[in-house]
Amino acid sequence: MEMLTPSGRTLALFDGIGGHQGNLLPTLGALHAQPENALFFDRMFRTLDDLREHLGPVPEPVVPTGSRLRRWLTDPATAPPTGTDDSVVAGICVHLIQLCDLQPRRAVPDTVTAAIGHSIGLQAAIVAGLRPKRTDAFLALAETSLRLVALSLVRGHQATTGRPVPTELTGRYAGGGQRQRPGPMALVDGPSRADLAALVDRYRRDTRRSVSVGLVNTPTTGVLSGHTEDLLHFHAHHEAMFRGGAATWTFLTNTLPFHSPHLAAAADEVRRDRTFVGPLPAAGELRIPVYAADAPRTLPPDADLLDEFVEQVLVRPVDWATASVHAVTDAGITTVLDCGPGPAARRFTRECLGGRTLRFESIRRASRRP
């Protein structure tokens, strides 16, 4: 692909799973169809097979075998219509797309001076920051990276399954129809971050239910995380506020309560399994600053990269409204290279930056240039 040569300083921006998953398999399928990506996909399919063998029998949803995912990509009619509705498969697809774009021959250009990732996009930002130049070194890192991401998603699923949702709560919830199927994460738009935090704190004290602000994506957009039952109860408890238009409520398609204490046990499980994940480079080997999404900071040189990933993605809340602005300001950014695959991180960043003028480039459009 033709390398971008933007002037100034460029921030590579990586999206997370987000709420829009319908295009993941078609995007991944288009990359898989390119002959130059054959070696990459062969290695990634084998990595998924190794992970399935390591996990043994696990409840649905499970990590797809390499052959199963290959079949979905080569013959889309064989993929279930809801194939990426669960966060395990969706997260694997997101990370595979990002890794494919980070291959040395089609990598984020050397003009990129910093990287940041929204939720699981953190791991792609770390890979971009390490910048392995040799194909063998990149593929070894990609295998470890995929094992870390996929294992974290599976352990999160295992830690949160098995709690039924009372029918009286689902019956009361009338918003959004099938496109807003109740789940463990819900977007609340309208209240300021301070007002939403106060609302959640008061609710927790009054009800003893474990709901938390998992993400602050913009100054007036937050995401709540928790058990589906507790989120439905929270919505019913504040029904007047939502009915009156002071706030809007949208259940996300995520099937895991990311960025919440509910996944602390899953993070511990991944730490205990770090031998299978494999060695990650030291954070001191990062060649550009990689910014965290939980606070206005970069990953320190002595950071444990596996620990940073499981803590930032599974447990700690995201403060994108602060972190994205800090990254742009701290690194003197003039251009944002949107590495996708979805639009959420780009949209949130634009809103957080307000009227600040930055150039936004798309890695997807750049890859189609002659």
Side-chain angles (χ1 to χ4, degrees):
M1 98 184 190
E2 179 184 350
M3 290 294 100
L4 294 175
T5 55
S7 58
R9 297 174 61 81
T10 300
L11 176 72
L13 177 68
F14 296 90
D15 200 19
I17 297 176
H20 180 69
Q21 300 169 4
N23 290 328
L24 290 177
L25 287 177
T27 300
L28 197 57
L31 292 171
H32 177 259
Q34 298 173 17
E36 62 270 25
N37 293 330
L39 178 61
F40 168 79
F41 278 101
D42 285 346
R43 292 281 290 267
M44 296 304 101
F45 292 149
R46 288 203 299 271
T47 300
L48 291 177
D49 289 338
D50 291 343
L51 179 56
R52 278 295 300 270
E53 182 178 352
H54 175 73
L55 291 170
V58 294
E60 293 288 341
V62 297
V63 175
T65 61
S67 59
R68 186 182 186 191
L69 184 55
R70 188 193 297 271
R71 185 167 63 252
W72 289 0
L73 300 182
T74 55
D75 185 3
T78 64
T82 58
T84 57
D85 277 3
D86 71 79
S87 293
V88 176
V89 178
I92 288 171
C93 290
V94 165
H95 195 53
L96 283 173
I97 292 168
Q98 292 169 336
L99 287 176
C100 188
D101 284 333
L102 289 171
Q103 294 177 86
R105 57 174 181 74
R106 56 185 294 151
V108 173
D110 288 339
T111 48
V112 166
T113 50
I116 190 171
H118 188 274
S119 194
I120 70 165
L122 169 66
Q123 186 59 28
I126 288 172
V127 174
L130 291 167
R131 281 182 174 170
K133 295 299 184 183
R134 297 196 333 267
T135 297
D136 58 344
F138 171 81
L139 289 175
L141 175 60
E143 288 178 342
T144 301
S145 186
L146 180 58
R147 284 194 293 268
L148 172 58
V149 170
L151 183 64
S152 299
L153 295 169
V154 170
R155 296 308 187 206
H157 168 71
Q158 292 172 335
T160 55
T161 54
R163 179 171 170 177
V165 180
T167 55
E168 62 268 21
L169 283 175
T170 56
R172 286 185 60 182
Y173 179 71
Q178 291 185 348
R179 300 190 70 178
Q180 284 193 33
R181 181 182 61 195
M185 299 188 78
L187 183 148
V188 179
D189 190 17
S192 69
R193 58 186 304 163
D195 288 344
L196 182 60
L199 198 69
V200 169
D201 286 344
R202 185 164 58 250
Y203 173 79
R204 288 166 62 100
R205 288 196 306 270
D206 293 345
T207 67
R208 303 297 181 184
R209 290 178 177 266
S210 182
V211 171
S212 59
V213 180
L215 301 97
V216 176
N217 286 327
T218 75
T220 58
T221 306
V223 175
L224 303 186
S225 293
H227 289 298
T228 302
E229 174 189 350
D230 293 337
L231 292 186
L232 283 166
H233 188 273
F234 181 95
H235 182 272
H237 194 75
H238 300 94
E239 191 172 2
M241 179 182 72
F242 294 112
R243 192 190 311 118
T248 61
W249 175 282
T250 306
F251 275 110
L252 302 184
T253 55
N254 301 75
T255 56
L256 295 178
F258 292 103
H259 312 292
S260 79
H262 292 296
L263 295 185
D268 289 340
E269 283 291 323
V270 178
R271 290 188 189 96
R272 284 192 285 268
D273 220 358
R274 67 168 62 233
T275 300
F276 172 77
V277 172
L280 283 166
E285 296 180 43
L286 291 168
R287 299 174 61 192
I288 58 175
V290 174
Y291 287 85
D294 61 345
R297 66 184 181 96
T298 56
L299 303 188
D302 61 348
D304 178 335
L305 293 180
L306 183 146
D307 194 63
E308 282 283 0
F309 177 81
V310 295
E311 279 294 317
Q312 285 196 52
V313 173
L314 298 182
V315 184
R316 294 182 201 152
V318 164
D319 186 359
W320 195 255
T322 300
S324 60
V325 174
H326 171 74
V328 168
T329 303
D330 184 65
I333 298 300
T334 57
T335 300
V336 175
L337 180 62
D338 177 20
C339 301
R346 178 183 71 247
R347 187 169 64 245
F348 298 149
T349 303
R350 282 185 182 275
E351 186 170 341
C352 292
L353 291 173
R356 187 177 308 195
T357 301
L358 289 181
R359 176 187 176 191
F360 279 75
E361 283 270 9
S362 168
I363 197 171
R364 192 66 52 213
R365 284 197 299 270
S367 66
R368 293 197 294 264
R369 291 180 180 177

